[in-house]
Structure formats: C-alpha cells, structure tokens
Amino acid sequence: ATGKRGDTSSTLSRTALPSLTLQSARRRDARRTKRVRLATFIDAMALRRRPVKSPGQEEPPEEPPASDEDGASPGARDEDGASPGARKKDGASPGDGDRTAAVLAAWRVPFYAVMCYAYVRLRHRPADPAPTAMSPGADAWFAFDQFEALMWTMPTTAEGVAFNTFAGVACGAVAAIGLAFPLAAWAFFLLYFRQVFWSTLSFVNHDYLFVLLLFLTAASGAGAEYSLDAAVRRLFRGRRGPAADDGAAAASRRCVLLALRAQMAVVYVFASLWKWHDDWLAGRIVRHIFLGFEAQGVARGVPWAAMEKRVGPLLFVAVALGGLALDSGMALTLVFLKPSRVSWKIFAGLSVCFHSFTAFAMSQRIDYAFPLACVAAVALFFPFAADDAPLVTWLARYASGRAGTRRQRLFLLGWVAIQLLVPLRMPYFHGSSYAITGQSYRFSWTMMLHAKDSYLVGPPKRKGAPHGAFMQLAYVSPYLLQRDAPPPPYVPAALTTPVPRMRYFPNSELPHEDDRTLPQEKFLGPRQRAFLEAYPRGYMRLAAGFGALIQRAAPPFHVVGASLTLFARLNGRGPYVRVADPTVDLVAADKARAARTILQFAWDVVSDTLQPPHEFLLRDPGGGATAREAAAFGERLSRETARPAHVLVDRSACLKNKPLWLRPTAHPLLVYVHRAPPGASIVVRSCVAETRCDVTPLRAAPEGGGALLHPGANEGRVFVPNATSIEIGIAPGEHAPDSDCRDGAEDVVLGLVL
C-alpha cells in the first residue's frame, strides 16, 4: 500500500489482514488436529498388535543388530549372498518410490479386458476327436503332436461349448478387477491355452503371444495394488495383524515386469528382423496382402488397386518401409532406451501409429485384439522407479548377479533365452527353405511375411467368366499296395493301384481335380485348406485319416498308402518348385510318427522334422541355380507368348517315379520343356474325356535356339488344344538319374501357358 489519497488498496489490506490471518490459523489448527488423531490411531493399533505381557514382566532391552562392512545385517542377506545395501547401490532392489505394482495394475485392467474379447472371438465349437458312425474324427487330423492330449479335454456338445466360453470370460473379468487374482488369472490362462493349442487350425501368432502374456501376467502379482484383493486386505489387515515384509514380493513383481517388457521386445525384434527380405523391401508382400484383402472384400473400402494405378509401385514400397521403420523403432526403444517420460512418449507414439494402421486396414482379417493388446502394453514401459534402466542393462545386471535372487535370475534369463532360441531354430535347421516348406514356421513371429500358392489360374475362356483353367499343384493320391510291393516308406508308383473317389467318397468329383486324388475341396473348409498351404506337414495326418476310411472299403490283404504331389511358389512370383517327395508313403510315415520314442519325439518337435526315411519334405527346394534360371525363362516365355507363363522346377528322380497330373478342363495349353536330364524324354500324355489319349515325347530345346515359338524349336514344345486331363512324366526305360527323389537334383524345367 502506498498510502496516497484516493488509493483504497491500503485501507482494504489493513481491513482484510486480521480476517485472513485468523482463517489461516484455524486451517493450521485443523490440520494439526487431524495429524494428532491419525498418530493416536496408529499408536493404538500398534499397541493392539503387541503381545500381552504378564504383570511385572519387563521388556528386554533392544540390542543393535550386528552388521558387516556395508551396514547390512547377516540375516538381511539373500540366498546368493548379496546384501540390500549392495543391491540398492546398483539400483537393482525395490526401494522407496517403487511403482512396479502400479505399472502392473495399469497393464492388468486393459489387458484382461482385451483378452476377454479375444477369448470370445476364438473358434469355439464341439470337438470331433475320434471317428464314429456319424463323424470321421477329423479333428485328430489337425492336432499338434506335443498338445494332442488337449483334444480329448475339449467339449463335444453345444452346451459344453457355451459353458467353456462363459467360464473363460468370467475368469478374465474377475482377473481384470483383481479379485482372487492368482487363482482367476491362472484359470484364465489354462482355458486360453487349451483353446489355442487343442487344434493346429486355431493357431495364429497373435494368440500365441496372448498365451505367453497371460502366463507372465498371472505370475506377476499384478493384483497386489489397485484391485479388490488389495481393498479387502486393507479392510481386514487390522484383524489379521501386521502386514508381512513386502520386499521379496516387490522384487518378484519387478522381475516379471521385466520379462513382460522382454517378451514384447522379442516380438518387435523378430517382426523387424524377418522383414529384411527382398520381397518385403520391394513392397511385393505388402502388395499381395492388401490387393488380396481388396479382392476378398475385407479392405474396409480402401481402393488399393486404384491407388496403385495413380501412385505407382512406390505406394506399397512406402507402406512396407514404414512398417519396418515402426517395428524397428519399437524394438530399439524397448531394448536400448531408459524408461522415462520422454522415451515412454516416443514408444507410445510409435505403437499407436503402427497399431492404429493395422486396426483400420487389417482388422477384418486379424481382428482388433492384437492391436489393442499391443497398445495396452505401452503401460509396461512406464518407469517404475528412479533407478529404472534399459532392458539390456537390466539383463546385464541379472546376468552378473547384481540384481534379483538366484531364482529370479534363472527365470528372467531363461525366459529371454528360450524366446530368442525358438524363432532362431527356423533358419538354423532349415536355412532359407523354411518359408516354402513351413518347417519351424510356427512360434517364430513370422506374421504375414510370406504367401504361397499351389495352383495355376489361366485367362477366362469366355467373356465374363471369373477365370479360366484352375489346375491344382497340391494333391494327395491314395493307392493300394500290391502283394509284391516293397515295404514302405519308399513305394514305386508302378507297383501301386490308385483308389478312385467313388470307392470311398461318392459324388465328390470336380472338373479341375483328378478322380484319383483326395477330395480336398469337397471335404475341407477354407481354413483347413489355408493351413495345409502354409504348413505342408499337415498333409501326413490328413492322408492317414483318409487312409483309415479307405481301409474299411479296401479288399482283403491290401494296405492303403498315400503320396503327396506338391509344387508351390512364394509371394506370387518365380517358378513353382517341388516341395514334397512323392515316393514316401504318408500313411506309413504317420504310423512311424505315432511309434516314436520320447527322445525322438522331443527332437522332432524342436526341429520340426521326421526321422528318416519317413521325412517327405524335400531339402532346400528352389534354392539352386536352376530356380533362378527358370525365373528368367518364365519372363522370356511370357514376353514371347503375350500371356502369363507358369514355370515348374522339378527333379527327374521324382518325376520318373510319379508323373504330374493336371486338369486343364479343355482349355488350350502349351507345354514347353526348357531343361531335362541328358538323354531323357519328357512324355506328355493328354486325354479327352478319358477316351482318346495322345502321347508326345519331348526333349529339351537346344540352348540359344532362338525364339521359343520358332518352328525350329518344335522339339521342345507341344500344343494341347482341348484336353481334359494331362500327365507329364519321364519315358520308362530312358536314362535318368538313379538317385532317390530326396537327394536328386533339380534338373527339369517346364513351362505351361494357358
């Protein structure tokens, strides 16, 4: 106040000052009274917990505990000999300000809410584990080797399925609010685990990730705070006595929280690592995915084809590189950045950008559960203490013994090691062929990175038709073994008798499928066919299941066998290469699988192989120079014919034993032989309605012989105008390598133009 005339602030200040001072004093007295009452209540509770002393009994004097060099009492050392002082010095033990329980609670609520939604969206249906008079027991044909027993625990009625669904949602909801958390969380984990792994048809990488996260969250003690369990404990703590020391529980929660971070880091590390592939970097995989979504009507109205015409191929290159950058950014942030408010915002931004795009553009195929769960996992990266550190630093602390007890170190480091080794077994055991053979492809975080097709589609024969010829390159052909046939697994085709469909599945004939093959399109659904296309190992159980059905109708003293013919190509480009050995009896291979010892079973599950001689997936298909030469030949053939050309890479040792069966359905077909073994002839047998057949032997056209359609190159091609079935093989008695199919070289290159 200045005190000048006309200035009223001085008068107001002098008038209001006593009143304000009195109000402040009253508030201070009220706060002091509350603190005194709280202290009195705490003292009263402490006195209530003390043991009752007898009259005249005196309390023994308190003696200071003996301490060692770092000030920690001997009893305070943990099992590996480290004192709390040493732990705190390294920043590895929970201390004041530890927010681990709060971080886990922030993760628990949205995670279990998403898991309840994901559980409802799983495939809930009655199981069909064993053949009966009304059912073939087809679920046994699509069971995991290591989880086959789960199939027998699944409900077989609609009422059981409804109860199973309700039980899972109830357990997940109870775990979300933190009521009876360990029990509810473990029950939900077991139900989800069973629902995912009881059938190979239920497996996707997203649900596999959910199972791992459910296990870790159930073991984390995420219901310790901000839960109904915590409220109940606070309500009844006075009646039960003082709370136990929470240091060990806090250290255990911290260990599992780090395992949750590591699990998410593993997913992003391998998701970005596997994207360093030519097809991904060039945008071909992304183009195949989104154009396929648009063709199937699940692209959410995004006109990918029109956008590609306007922008060009750089559109899908940009999308592919953007996905790689976001995956790599999240992986690097989780592994190398120290959790802080700034780094948390960086990780949250990357995660929201990536998963918002997938939730919009791909949710009609992958659903919303995966992007929602990954966005919820942002809570795990929030700093839980002032001494929080990057994941790689935490792993170094646990590995050097500066953090955690011996059990905690074993758990965290063992979990991370297993999660790293399981995906790396894929290239270790199978090199670069894992993508086309599907071996070790599961559990390796290969999410939408490769697409395979095993069929030939020609141009429409008439205007307005969706497509022309549709020829299968993947089929199983059952047969009866003759009396003088050698024992399985290697059976020459000449000593077998094909079994037509009318013998075991009447009215299942289709124009584009050979009658001597299994009725896959009639019997199998889209999900089952997609599974076999991705994982050819499943053909063995399928053949064995059909073999049991055919055996009932087989004549006495005959054994049913089955062979697999499979050609495939990756990502819609390049040649079709032979993937399976057609000389191996799949029925005998399945019997050998069921008779394995424990050690053989464990090795086969880890390596995703079968014991020789029952392994029917070929080694390194399409990995030699022949496949690269065939790709160039296909481009040249397409240019000169002005039509899409399909190139097949085969092994003469396989083709000599088992000819290739095609059904062009009367569409004109040009067969061109680009490469064949020296001195061997490729025989093309074309039939019209199985009544009139022509046989044409072909030899490979001379290299450098000019144009492919030049009259001088006629010896390397044949034109089939209106055949309904075609067989391509090697002339009997002609020179061909004597090696078996598995060890044979890729020395046959065929061109097909529809």
Side-chain angles (χ1 to χ4, degrees):
T2 60
K4 296 181 180 179
R5 183 179 296 179
D7 188 358
T8 60
S9 61
S10 175
T11 305
L12 290 175
S13 300
R14 286 193 297 270
T15 305
L17 184 60
S19 177
L20 294 175
T21 304
L22 182 60
Q23 292 177 6
S24 300
R26 288 176 177 175
R27 284 196 295 267
R28 285 197 301 270
D29 292 342
R31 288 196 296 268
R32 187 181 298 110
T33 302
K34 290 180 180 179
R35 287 197 296 268
V36 170
R37 290 177 179 175
L38 179 61
T40 304
F41 173 75
I42 294 175
D43 292 341
M45 295 300 296
L47 290 173
R48 184 180 299 178
R49 295 191 192 106
R50 291 180 181 176
V52 179
K53 300 194 297 274
S54 59
Q57 182 180 0
E58 296 182 358
E59 294 184 358
E62 296 184 359
E63 297 181 2
S67 61
D68 53 10
E69 299 147 341
D70 57 0
S73 62
R77 290 184 173 272
D78 59 14
E79 56 182 291
D80 58 353
S83 64
R87 296 257 180 247
K88 193 168 184 178
K89 196 181 300 180
D90 289 328
S93 65
D96 295 336
D98 186 85
R99 296 183 295 273
T100 306
V103 171
L104 288 173
W107 155 253
R108 183 196 73 236
V109 177
F111 173 65
Y112 277 104
V114 174
M115 289 300 98
C116 290
Y117 167 77
Y119 186 78
V120 173
R121 302 285 290 179
L122 290 176
R123 298 178 68 247
H124 295 273
R125 60 175 180 82
D128 180 22
T132 62
M134 303 296 294
S135 172
D139 283 336
W141 307 353
F142 296 95
F144 283 96
D145 285 354
Q146 61 270 41
F147 305 124
E148 191 168 359
L150 294 177
M151 177 179 59
W152 301 98
T153 67
M154 297 302 295
T156 57
T157 62
E159 293 78 8
V161 171
F163 177 79
N164 184 58
T165 306
F166 171 78
V169 174
C171 291
V174 170
I177 61 178
L179 179 61
F181 180 78
L183 179 62
W186 284 116
F188 188 53
F189 160 74
L190 293 176
L191 289 172
Y192 206 106
F193 179 90
R194 184 183 69 164
Q195 196 66 37
V196 170
F197 290 110
W198 80 276
S199 173
T200 55
L201 302 177
S202 302
F203 177 88
V204 292
N205 280 294
H206 303 161
D207 290 321
Y208 170 49
L209 173 63
F210 296 159
V211 168
L212 298 177
L213 295 178
L214 284 169
F215 174 83
L216 292 175
T217 307
S220 67
E225 296 293 341
Y226 304 100
S227 62
L228 289 182
D229 286 344
V232 172
R233 283 196 299 269
R234 284 193 296 269
L235 181 63
F236 293 99
R237 183 172 292 173
R239 300 181 181 180
R240 297 185 307 177
D245 182 19
D246 201 39
S252 177
R253 288 195 297 268
R254 171 175 291 193
C255 174
V256 183
L257 175 58
L258 294 174
L260 284 165
R261 286 183 181 177
Q263 184 59 62
M264 296 304 301
V266 166
V267 174
Y268 290 127
V269 165
F270 283 105
S272 56
L273 177 63
W274 301 142
K275 284 184 174 65
W276 287 95
H277 188 277
D278 292 342
D279 286 339
W280 182 273
L281 298 177
R284 285 186 288 266
I285 295 177
V286 177
R287 180 179 184 274
H288 188 274
I289 291 173
F290 288 116
L291 291 184
F293 284 175
E294 186 177 7
Q296 299 163 15
V298 292
R300 292 207 173 277
V302 180
W304 292 105
M307 292 168 60
E308 183 186 24
K309 290 181 180 179
R310 180 175 300 179
V311 180
L314 291 180
L315 169 67
F316 295 109
V317 174
V319 175
L321 294 181
L324 175 60
L326 290 174
D327 268 333
S328 302
M330 289 184 286
L332 294 174
T333 303
L334 280 173
V335 175
F336 295 107
L337 286 189
K338 178 181 178 180
S340 63
R341 293 186 181 274
V342 175
S343 60
W344 182 84
K345 291 179 181 178
I346 294 174
F347 178 69
L350 293 172
S351 181
V352 170
C353 287
F354 182 85
H355 295 293
S356 296
F357 175 79
T358 57
F360 173 74
M362 308 172 71
S363 60
Q364 288 184 280
R365 271 288 175 260
I366 68 172
D367 207 54
Y368 295 101
F370 177 68
L372 288 176
C374 290
V375 171
V378 169
L380 298 173
F381 193 62
F382 196 83
F384 54 76
D387 62 346
D388 204 353
L391 179 61
V392 65
T393 303
W394 278 115
L395 295 178
R397 289 176 180 176
Y398 275 78
S400 61
R402 291 179 295 159
T405 63
R406 186 175 292 108
R407 291 182 179 179
Q408 293 167 2
R409 292 196 298 271
L410 181 62
F411 171 78
L412 178 60
L413 298 177
W415 182 273
V416 174
I418 291 174
Q419 294 303 317
L420 292 175
L421 291 176
V422 168
L424 291 176
R425 73 193 173 113
M426 183 175 65
Y428 176 78
F429 285 113
H430 309 293
S432 60
S433 64
Y434 62 84
I436 199 165
T437 63
Q439 292 173 285
S440 300
Y441 206 70
R442 281 188 291 254
F443 312 108
S444 298
W445 311 117
T446 50
M447 293 174 282
M448 305 188 76
L449 293 178
H450 303 97
K452 290 185 291 187
D453 59 275
S454 300
Y455 45 83
L456 305 179
V457 180
K461 188 176 180 181
R462 63 183 185 277
K463 189 176 181 179
H467 58 75
F470 184 87
M471 296 190 295
Q472 290 280 3
L473 294 178
Y475 53 84
V476 178
S477 50
Y479 52 79
L480 296 176
L481 294 179
Q482 298 180 2
R483 296 177 183 271
D484 54 349
Y490 297 121
V491 181
L495 301 179
T496 62
T497 302
V499 182
R501 295 183 183 182
M502 59 178 298
R503 296 277 299 273
Y504 59 92
F505 205 126
N507 303 320
S508 62
E509 294 81 5
L510 291 174
H512 60 274
E513 290 185 342
D514 197 288
D515 184 48
R516 296 166 292 180
T517 63
L518 294 182
Q520 295 177 206
E521 192 161 332
K522 279 280 189 178
F523 189 84
L524 303 180
R527 192 179 187 93
Q528 294 167 320
R529 294 198 298 269
F531 165 77
L532 294 174
E533 188 175 88
Y535 305 105
R537 177 74 69 204
Y539 278 106
M540 178 179 62
R541 281 180 173 258
L542 176 71
F546 266 102
L549 298 178
I550 299 172
Q551 189 69 55
R552 302 174 185 175
F557 308 107
H558 280 73
V559 179
V560 176
S563 65
L564 173 62
T565 298
L566 175 60
F567 288 81
R569 67 172 177 174
L570 281 175
N571 303 323
R573 71 185 189 99
Y576 294 85
V577 298
R578 186 183 285 272
V579 179
D581 184 351
T583 65
V584 176
D585 182 3
L586 299 186
V587 178
D590 186 72
K591 293 178 180 178
R593 176 199 62 81
R596 290 175 297 185
T597 64
I598 296 293
L599 294 179
Q600 290 175 343
F601 167 79
W603 176 255
D604 290 352
V605 168
V606 170
S607 62
D608 198 3
T609 57
L610 291 176
Q611 297 293 322
H614 299 284
E615 179 58 81
F616 60 92
L617 294 178
L618 298 173
R619 290 190 294 265
D620 197 22
T626 304
R628 294 189 291 271
E629 175 189 340
F633 164 67
E635 295 175 0
R636 180 186 174 194
L637 188 59
S638 295
R639 254 188 337 264
E640 298 198 13
T641 59
R643 291 179 179 273
H646 308 281
V647 180
L648 275 63
V649 175
D650 203 351
R651 311 183 186 206
S652 58
C654 302
L655 195 60
K656 181 181 180 180
N657 186 276
K658 186 75 173 179
L660 176 63
W661 299 340
L662 299 175
R663 285 296 181 105
T665 59
H667 284 73
L669 178 67
L670 172 68
V671 181
Y672 194 95
V673 180
H674 177 68
R675 172 182 280 198
S681 297
I682 303 298
V683 177
V684 178
R685 183 175 182 269
S686 57
C687 299
V688 178
E690 306 297 336
T691 57
R692 188 179 74 253
C693 299
D694 297 324
V695 178
T696 306
L698 300 175
R699 293 187 181 273
E703 296 184 7
L708 295 176
L709 300 183
H710 190 271
N714 283 346
E715 62 177 344
R717 69 181 179 92
V718 62
F719 179 69
V720 183
N722 57 353
T724 56
S725 65
I726 294 178
E727 288 188 11
I728 302 177
I730 293 182
E734 297 236 358
H735 173 72
D738 294 330
S739 60
D740 57 17
C741 177
R742 182 171 180 78
D743 298 326
E746 293 177 337
D747 52 0
V748 175
V749 178
L750 305 175
L752 303 176
V753 179
L754 284 161

